[in-house]
Amino acid sequence: MSDTNHSNSNPFAYRKSSLNSKEKSMKGLLAFATYFIVACALCIFGKIIINGYPVLLNKGLSFITEKPQTLTVLEIEKNDDIQAPLENYENMLSSNVEPLEISNLKEFKKSFGYVTFDLESGSLIGDGYLMDIEKENNGLYLMFKERRQPEKLGFSIPQDKKFTIPKAELEIIQKNDPDLITSEVTNKEINIISKEVTIAKGEYPLKKVGFDALEKKTTLIFQMRQSYPDDEPDKVIQCVIPETQTITVPSSVYYAAFDEEENGTIPLVSEKSIFSSKTLSEFSLPKGAYKLSPASLRIFTANGGQHLHNLDRGSVVVKLDEAKTVTLAKESYDRLIADNPEIKVSNVQDKTQEVDYVSFTLDRDSEIQLNISDYQAFKEANSINNKFKPNAEHTHSYSGGGILGPIVGTACLVIICMVVALFTGIAAATYLNEYARKGGFTKVVRLAMLNLAGVPSIVFGLFGLGLFVMLAPVMTSSPSADSELLIPIAPLGSAPELRIAEAEAILTVDPELSTTLSAETARSAGAKKFYNGWLYLSFQGWGTCMLAGGFTLAIMVLPVIITSCEESLKAVPMGFREAAMALGATKWQSIRTAVLPYAFPGILTATVLGITRVAGETAPIMFTAAAAEKSDLPWQGIHSSGFGAFVDFLQQSVQALPYHIYTVAGRIPQSEYTEPMQYGSVLVFMIIVLLLSAVSIYLRIKIRNKIKW
Amino acid sequence: MIQIDNVSFSYDLGKTNVLRNISLDIPEKKVTSFIGPSGCGKSTLLRCLNRMNDLVETSRVTTGEIRIMDKNINAKDVDAIELRKNIGMVFQKYNPFPKSIYDNVAYGLRIQGIKKKDILDAAVEKALRGAALWDEVKDRLKDSALGLSGGQQQRLCIARTTAVQPKIILMDEPCSALDPIATAKVEELITELRNDYTIVIVTHSMQQASRISDKTAFFYLGELIEYADTDTIFQNPAQKQTEDYISGRFG
């Protein structure tokens, strides 16, 4: 009974009751929920950091300063005297996690001959040669006046060579270039077999070799269910034959597409061999440079002659305001001059350039990881001595290089988005909070906005695709032939440069034609755009570009921005507005000088919240802006100048961080090489977001200290 | 100076009038105070005078008219902005902007488009001297106005108002947020300002009204009960309600 006594003496003693036990269990439950969240966060961040930091450690700064690349993993036998440019050699060292066993490292200089010359306006050169010049002179983009087939084209043969061509073709050569063939011509008769095959209507599997053969060498009507993916060349795709057809095919096609013992996969209803004969002429040409007509050159091309002319469309007449000084490797220059008789160059200077090279001995058979660009440099450097020859070579997309492209793309998207979202968001919030009557309308607008905030982001993606990518208006003198709506503005269009017109398939049509007819003409001619001298407001969309992506993201983030801007406007004391108004300020003056500045810290917070949200979105940019693969940064490869260049810049598609992570993590074959990239990208992304938040908090505190009331 | 002629006023498009048939003349270069219990409409009437009530969209003067300098201020050809440039207002809660002292005083001039530094400098100094604040703040004009004490802030607000040189200054309980010493300074300032400005002041403190004003109007439930010289109101009120109020029997 001492217990009872005790409780009698202490009226406040602890007593067991259901309330007390509930209190304890509730406290436990609430604490558990909290710690559960903390544990989850720690797991996520921990995993990202643990998996991601080795990448940053290995690649260092290059992870964020290099563009994404394909990684090649090579099995190389041990060998001595492997040569490589120093730069690529160093890249090799840094991209291999396990150190390679290398000895006998020697640095030396290798000199390359190159030529600088002034290319003059009016030069007539072939397409391929133009590309050559542009490739070696970074950023050069030459316009041309017209295309013209030169009377004679240069054609060089490095060694004495024997040609075997049909007799009919020889006759063409002899007619066009009577002086060309001086050697003896021997004729011989051969039999050739071709097959007449009948294919039943239906759907059949088809390999890529078969597809190529059918596509290029036959008249078969067929359709593929999908295109062949570049990274899986052995994939078999279904091919649809809409009706039963009988065609005659060369035997090579027969083996590629129909013969089951070879590569063939399509069954045949019937087949028949057709024997025929034709006369082949054989002759030889000694090595040297020749000048011959385009018609003859075409025949040599089909029989192993090498040149870079576009024989179908003719050479281009270069258009320049003044002679342009360009640089070209010695061999390329020699070929340019030899093959293009009507080129005009002046001020030709031979120069040499020394490049740092290394040679080394690989002591053991190893597996080497190399970015694809480095691999190409290695191959080139060892092309003569043949010391760098991998036994096997595996490629892993996006696993080499860094993530500069996605970082830049995300930055561009975020900037465009925030410019658009802040401008419209602040304007709308100010209108709603300061000007609009408090009533039904504002209520409806607010409700709509709240609903907008709940819409899934993929819906915004589709919305952006429909509105900005495919419908938004552009002002252009070469509108798309498939434009939704064309409004002619003025007959002030500027004719597109021939090169642009070719690249973008712009058809120049008769200015007398009406808009509808012009578009119709262009469509039926297979052109994508047309030009008829008028400037149009064309509702053709902006295409997949960062402008469309930025606008889509802006629409998505607007509800957040407007709501928080309104909150910060509401937090500005009424007294400021009244004081300003009482001093004779107009409404806008009072808002500009006595309201907006003091709402700024809140707007800043909203901005940064918006940025972090926008930067992480994948769905809205998937259809509107993002490219999985893009080697150029958005400002590279723009050929216009001034305002046009800015517009072109905005119309570039970009890589973006979240989309890149999605691609690396989910859309390409996974391997031990892709995984670190994926975590590395996530880690960098997380660091960027954290940095942004930190900056915003710092700014907010600083500004808040400066203006408070 | 100000003629209020049979004015009724409503905040809800005329459904209920919060001011009913008010008529009074406010003399030039005198201090006129409005007294009365909370909710009697004295602040509303004050805000009618510079059309601050325009900020409430559903407010209307339903009958009568207010003439300032012989112009009906609710007429169509009166611009509220121009009107407010001539009628300054000081609020119950001192509300300097979170800017420097100098920028606060110069605000009214700047929004009128005056940018020349020497003009602004002279105007700021004049206004601050006029508000008896110059000696206290002349060394820290660039400091934040929010670093000043409450009384100083309210006098700064008065200086901000006088800097644009209005004809009339409206004061809405300017001392209600201040301690007695600061109140005394502001009252002293008001007494001085009387020489240059017509001042209308709304106050809760009957002592304050009796100390500083030349004329006093007593409002009750939206109606003007009595309007007379201050001495008359406080020593010999004509109405029973006035007497009850000032002797503290209600309110």
Side-chain angles (χ1 to χ4, degrees):
Chain A
M1 296 302 280
S2 67
D3 222 37
T4 329
N5 282 341
H6 183 71
S7 70
N8 278 346
S9 64
N10 178 6
F12 311 118
Y14 177 79
R15 257 183 290 169
K16 264 197 170 162
S17 72
S18 65
L19 250 174
N20 271 328
S21 56
K22 201 174 198 178
E23 171 69 25
K24 263 190 182 167
S25 53
M26 274 319 286
K27 183 185 162 195
L29 188 68
L30 301 181
F32 172 75
T34 314
Y35 291 123
F36 177 71
I37 297 169
V38 173
C40 285
L42 279 179
C43 286
I44 295 170
F45 289 127
K47 169 112 175 132
I48 292 172
I49 290 168
I50 289 168
N51 286 308
Y53 94 96
V55 186
L56 299 196
L57 221 59
N58 285 336
K59 302 214 174 207
L61 211 55
S62 73
F63 189 60
I64 53 170
T65 55
E66 273 177 19
K67 297 171 188 169
Q69 275 205 22
T70 298
L71 185 75
T72 53
V73 179
L74 311 165
E75 283 167 26
I76 301 275
E77 278 175 33
K78 65 176 176 183
N79 215 333
D80 58 354
D81 198 30
I82 299 175
Q83 297 191 353
L86 182 62
E87 195 189 334
N88 302 97
Y89 171 75
E90 281 170 354
N91 286 346
M92 179 183 78
L93 294 189
S94 70
S95 62
N96 281 277
V97 183
E98 284 169 30
L100 301 164
E101 285 181 31
I102 284 170
S103 61
N104 222 353
L105 184 67
K106 274 184 289 219
E107 283 196 35
F108 64 96
K109 290 201 189 293
K110 209 167 171 177
S111 54
F112 291 92
Y114 70 102
V115 180
T116 64
F117 59 95
D118 291 354
L119 182 68
E120 285 179 25
S121 198
S123 293
L124 188 65
I125 57 181
D127 288 37
Y129 305 92
L130 193 74
M131 303 291 164
D132 253 7
I133 296 173
E134 285 176 357
K135 213 164 98 190
E136 291 198 34
N137 294 274
N138 233 340
L140 189 67
Y141 194 74
L142 297 167
M143 292 299 175
F144 42 79
K145 280 182 257 197
E146 54 173 329
R147 281 190 178 273
R148 184 151 62 79
Q149 196 65 271
E151 249 169 63
K152 296 279 176 186
L153 287 169
F155 175 57
S156 44
I157 298 171
Q159 284 121 19
D160 295 357
K161 192 168 175 181
K162 239 178 205 170
F163 291 89
T164 308
I165 59 173
K167 190 160 188 295
E169 290 183 353
L170 178 72
E171 279 160 10
I172 296 176
I173 295 176
Q174 280 168 336
K175 187 177 141 227
N176 286 308
D177 301 285
D179 306 329
L180 182 68
I181 300 168
T182 49
S183 72
E184 198 182 324
V185 178
T186 53
N187 288 335
K188 65 178 176 190
E189 198 115 324
I190 56 155
N191 297 319
I192 47 174
I193 307 166
S194 52
K195 298 257 185 185
E196 191 184 84
V197 295
T198 305
I199 310 149
K201 173 180 168 180
E203 190 169 327
Y204 311 104
L206 186 60
K207 288 185 189 167
K208 186 148 197 313
V209 278
F211 168 77
D212 287 341
L214 290 177
E215 168 96 271
K216 284 179 193 142
K217 295 186 185 162
T218 70
T219 53
L220 185 75
I221 299 162
F222 68 104
Q223 205 170 10
M224 301 305 295
R225 283 278 177 217
Q226 65 185 87
S227 56
Y228 287 91
D230 289 338
D231 44 4
E232 280 178 87
D234 299 332
K235 199 169 173 181
V236 176
I237 307 266
Q238 290 299 110
C239 140
V240 181
I241 308 225
E243 60 198 49
T244 305
Q245 295 167 58
T246 304
I247 51 168
T248 308
V249 299
S251 51
S252 63
V253 175
Y254 176 77
Y255 292 125
F258 305 119
D259 187 4
E260 281 161 31
E261 283 164 21
E262 299 263 338
N263 282 313
T265 46
I266 298 180
L268 294 172
V269 180
S270 69
E271 56 176 279
K272 192 169 82 186
S273 296
I274 299 170
F275 299 92
S276 58
S277 68
K278 73 181 178 187
T279 313
L280 291 181
S281 305
E282 200 179 273
F283 61 91
S284 62
L285 281 178
K287 72 172 181 184
Y290 297 90
K291 292 207 178 358
L292 66 169
S293 66
S296 310
L297 186 56
R298 190 189 301 272
I299 294 163
F300 283 111
T301 310
N303 290 282
Q306 282 189 349
H307 66 86
L308 302 172
H309 289 291
N310 180 344
L311 293 174
D312 291 333
R313 313 181 66 171
S315 300
V316 299
V317 181
V318 176
K319 177 175 157 188
L320 286 166
D321 293 336
E322 51 185 28
K324 177 93 191 161
T325 309
V326 291
T327 314
L328 211 53
K330 183 82 180 112
E331 308 87 77
S332 307
Y333 175 77
D334 289 343
R335 188 170 62 172
L336 173 72
I337 298 298
D339 290 2
N340 296 281
E342 291 182 50
I343 192 169
K344 291 181 214 156
V345 295
S346 58
N347 203 9
V348 183
Q349 290 170 11
D350 271 301
K351 294 184 177 171
T352 53
Q353 183 192 19
E354 302 230 304
V355 179
D356 288 326
Y357 262 66
V358 291
S359 71
F360 60 89
T361 306
L362 193 62
D363 293 335
R364 208 153 56 99
D365 293 359
S366 341
E367 194 182 79
I368 296 184
Q369 299 169 31
L370 268 183
N371 289 342
I372 196 136
S373 58
D374 295 324
Y375 178 36
Q376 268 148 10
F378 267 80
K379 268 205 284 200
E380 204 168 304
N382 297 287
S383 57
I384 298 164
N385 66 11
N386 219 354
K387 298 276 181 147
F388 192 79
K389 216 167 179 197
N391 291 332
E393 136 185 5
H394 311 278
T395 56
H396 300 272
S397 320
Y398 309 112
S399 304
I403 50 170
L404 178 65
I407 292 178
V408 167
T410 290
C412 290
L413 281 173
V414 165
I415 289 169
I416 294 173
C417 162
M418 280 342 260
V419 167
V420 176
L422 281 182
F423 179 74
T424 48
I426 294 175
T430 309
Y431 177 75
L432 283 176
N433 200 51
E434 309 287 329
Y435 283 98
R437 285 164 187 275
K438 309 276 176 283
F441 172 69
T442 46
K443 268 188 198 150
V444 169
V445 171
R446 278 204 189 89
L447 194 70
M449 225 116 69
L450 282 179
N451 278 323
L452 210 58
V455 171
S457 54
I458 187 76
V459 176
F460 283 104
L462 290 172
F463 164 79
L465 175 70
L467 184 65
F468 299 120
V469 178
M470 305 198 321
L471 188 64
V474 288
M475 187 92 87
T476 174
S477 52
S478 46
S480 161
D482 294 318
S483 178
E484 301 287 334
L485 176 66
L486 284 162
I487 302 172
I489 294 174
L492 293 171
S494 52
E497 289 281 353
L498 182 57
R499 179 155 193 191
I500 307 278
E502 280 182 9
E504 297 181 9
I506 304 171
L507 183 75
T508 302
V509 297
D510 187 351
E512 299 294 310
L513 283 184
S514 73
T515 302
T516 334
L517 269 175
S518 301
E520 190 70 38
T521 314
R523 266 202 303 275
S524 56
K528 291 210 179 78
K529 302 175 175 182
F530 68 88
Y531 167 76
N532 67 357
W534 277 72
L535 189 64
Y536 279 98
L537 185 67
S538 165
F539 289 79
Q540 62 187 43
W542 298 330
T544 303
C545 64
M546 55 182 170
L547 194 62
F551 269 76
T552 309
L553 289 170
I555 301 273
M556 194 198 70
V557 81
L558 261 180
V560 181
I561 301 264
I562 292 181
T563 316
S564 31
C565 283
E566 246 197 300
E567 289 306 318
S568 18
L569 286 173
K570 282 203 184 104
V572 177
M574 204 59 201
F576 291 177
R577 297 179 181 84
E578 286 184 336
M581 300 287 281
L583 285 165
T586 60
K587 185 112 194 177
W588 170 241
Q589 273 181 320
S590 79
I591 291 170
R592 186 174 58 80
T593 57
V595 179
L596 282 181
Y598 309 124
F600 183 64
I603 293 174
L604 186 76
T605 316
T607 310
V608 175
L609 278 181
I611 287 178
T612 48
R613 165 133 196 241
V614 158
E617 281 294 348
T618 317
I621 55 172
M622 239 159 81
F623 312 123
T624 53
E629 173 91 72
K630 188 172 167 80
S631 56
D632 281 346
L633 295 178
W635 52 83
Q636 291 170 336
I638 290 176
H639 314 304
S640 38
S641 58
F643 185 69
F646 182 62
V647 173
D648 280 355
F649 168 70
L650 291 177
Q651 296 217 328
Q652 299 279 315
S653 66
V654 288
Q655 285 183 297
L657 260 180
Y659 191 62
H660 185 70
I661 293 169
Y662 164 60
T663 311
V664 174
R667 289 189 50 190
I668 56 172
Q670 299 295 297
S671 71
E672 58 191 300
Y673 301 100
T674 55
E675 199 182 60
M677 283 313 274
Q678 145 197 348
Y679 281 106
S681 310
V682 174
L683 184 60
V684 169
F685 195 14
M686 225 171 62
I687 292 172
I688 292 175
V689 169
L690 285 180
L691 273 181
L692 266 177
S693 308
V695 167
S696 85
I697 292 169
Y698 172 75
L699 274 179
R700 188 175 147 82
I701 292 172
K702 221 177 147 186
I703 298 173
R704 203 72 182 76
N705 280 341
K706 219 160 118 195
I707 44 168
K708 65 175 163 202
W709 52 86
Chain B
M1 185 72 177
I2 304 173
Q3 285 100 36
I4 300 169
D5 188 1
N6 195 28
V7 163
S8 298
F9 179 84
S10 163
Y11 275 122
D12 51 8
L13 297 170
K15 280 183 211 134
T16 49
N17 285 341
V18 292
L19 291 175
R20 283 186 296 278
N21 307 95
I22 310 278
S23 296
L24 73 163
D25 276 13
I26 293 167
E28 193 173 359
K29 298 203 176 169
K30 292 271 193 302
V31 179
T32 305
S33 51
F34 291 178
I35 60 169
S38 295
C40 68
K42 55 191 188 305
S43 285
T44 303
L45 181 61
L46 191 75
R47 293 166 75 91
C48 282
L49 299 181
N50 67 345
R51 286 182 52 182
M52 278 303 265
N53 284 325
D54 287 8
L55 298 184
V56 181
E57 277 153 18
T58 52
S59 66
R60 294 283 183 281
V61 173
T62 48
T63 64
E65 60 178 43
I66 300 166
R67 284 186 302 278
I68 294 176
M69 295 185 277
D70 298 324
K71 177 70 198 169
N72 177 4
I73 60 164
N74 288 306
K76 283 223 171 69
D77 59 347
V78 169
D79 179 16
I81 309 294
E82 285 305 316
L83 177 74
R84 291 190 198 120
K85 282 181 190 165
N86 286 293
I87 307 177
M89 189 166 192
V90 177
F91 296 86
Q92 176 174 7
K93 176 83 179 85
Y94 42 84
N95 55 359
F97 300 120
K99 304 178 183 217
S100 70
I101 295 169
Y102 182 95
D103 287 344
N104 261 286
V105 181
Y107 181 87
L109 297 168
R110 282 202 175 127
I111 58 173
Q112 288 179 25
I114 297 169
K115 290 203 184 85
K116 279 200 181 127
K117 196 167 180 310
D118 46 345
I119 298 181
L120 288 177
D121 284 349
V124 167
E125 180 172 347
K126 191 178 164 212
L128 284 172
R129 278 191 198 283
L133 202 57
W134 177 253
D135 293 330
E136 292 164 54
V137 301
K138 64 183 175 197
D139 300 325
R140 45 177 176 144
L141 287 175
K142 294 289 166 213
D143 290 2
S144 171
L146 301 174
L148 299 174
S149 72
Q152 286 174 322
Q153 290 195 23
Q154 189 62 298
R155 279 183 283 146
L156 178 68
C157 290
I158 294 173
R160 181 172 70 183
T161 307
T162 56
V164 292
Q165 301 200 309
K167 308 276 187 308
I168 302 165
I169 299 176
L170 309 175
M171 297 189 180
D172 191 355
E173 301 183 31
C175 301
S176 64
L178 301 181
D179 62 64
I181 295 168
T183 303
K185 282 200 171 171
V186 171
E187 283 181 8
E188 197 182 315
L189 173 59
I190 292 171
T191 324
E192 272 172 35
L193 289 174
R194 157 164 49 192
N195 300 327
D196 302 315
Y197 303 95
T198 305
I199 295 173
V200 185
I201 178 166
V202 166
T203 175
H204 255 109
S205 156
M206 283 168 284
Q207 288 81 1
Q208 187 174 52
S210 70
R211 279 196 299 268
I212 59 171
S213 60
D214 304 296
K215 301 203 82 169
T216 300
F218 171 58
F219 294 84
Y220 185 60
L221 294 180
E223 283 174 20
L224 177 64
I225 304 297
E226 192 169 351
Y227 176 54
D229 287 346
T230 302
D231 292 349
T232 318
I233 287 263
F234 280 92
Q235 279 152 30
N236 194 10
Q239 300 288 328
K240 176 83 169 54
Q241 275 171 315
T242 318
E243 194 184 346
D244 287 352
Y245 179 71
I246 57 177
S247 57
R249 245 165 267 162
F250 76 94

